[in-house]
Amino acid sequence: MRPTLSLLALRVKLPKPELERYAFQDLNSISHRDLPNNGFGIKNYYITKTKFHHWPVYKKIQNTKITTEIKRVQGDLYQLKQDLLQAYPQFEISVNQSAGIVNIKGDATKEVIDLFEKEIKI
């Protein structure tokens, strides 16, 4: 203890006010329609832009094979495939569900970026 100037140095602890405990809502009273991400992944997808605010659409060249790769797709990749085929029926599209990548045969980067700029609002 530090020395004090007075002979009597009393420390009195003040009682802390008792806080009311938060009562969580019962899970049975919550509907799945009340959840904020209701239905995400079913006929919904989201494509995040890169840190330089570009669409993640890349031209990929392997020997003589040229493909267009769409990365960073979250949600329903097959719905994105259907939307791309609706806009451009001549595309040959394959989907990698585990990596979140959509591949299009040929160089279609300009068409896909123009479609994203026109249709997707971020």
Side-chain angles (χ1 to χ4, degrees):
M1 268 180 67
R2 296 201 274 172
T4 59
L5 296 177
S6 66
L7 295 175
L8 287 175
L10 297 175
R11 291 188 181 176
V12 178
K13 290 186 178 181
L14 297 175
K16 292 183 180 179
E18 199 169 311
L19 296 176
E20 184 178 326
R21 292 185 177 226
Y22 181 77
F24 288 99
Q25 192 174 4
D26 188 26
L27 289 179
N28 294 331
S29 66
I30 300 173
S31 171
H32 70 280
R33 292 179 194 91
D34 299 334
L35 297 175
N37 61 348
N38 180 23
F40 180 73
I42 304 168
K43 297 196 180 218
N44 286 324
Y45 54 87
Y46 181 71
I47 303 169
T48 58
K49 287 188 173 184
T50 63
K51 68 178 180 179
F52 298 110
H53 305 291
H54 297 289
W55 291 108
V57 179
Y58 306 102
K59 180 179 172 181
K60 185 176 171 185
I61 302 173
Q62 295 175 330
N63 293 334
T64 58
K65 183 180 175 185
I66 299 174
T67 59
T68 303
E69 194 172 63
I70 305 170
K71 294 184 175 181
R72 297 179 176 216
V73 181
Q74 300 171 353
D76 194 358
L77 276 80
Y78 294 102
Q79 182 64 40
L80 173 62
K81 178 181 176 180
Q82 293 302 318
D83 292 345
L84 288 171
L85 286 174
Q86 186 178 5
Y88 299 103
Q90 72 274 13
F91 283 174
E92 293 180 31
I93 301 173
S94 63
V95 174
N96 184 345
Q97 184 76 35
S98 62
I101 297 174
V102 175
N103 290 312
I104 303 170
K105 187 175 181 182
D107 183 15
T109 54
K110 187 173 187 269
E111 292 92 346
V112 172
I113 290 174
D114 290 342
L115 181 69
F116 287 171
E117 289 291 335
K118 185 175 68 171
E119 296 293 328
I120 299 177
K121 309 288 190 266
I122 292 182

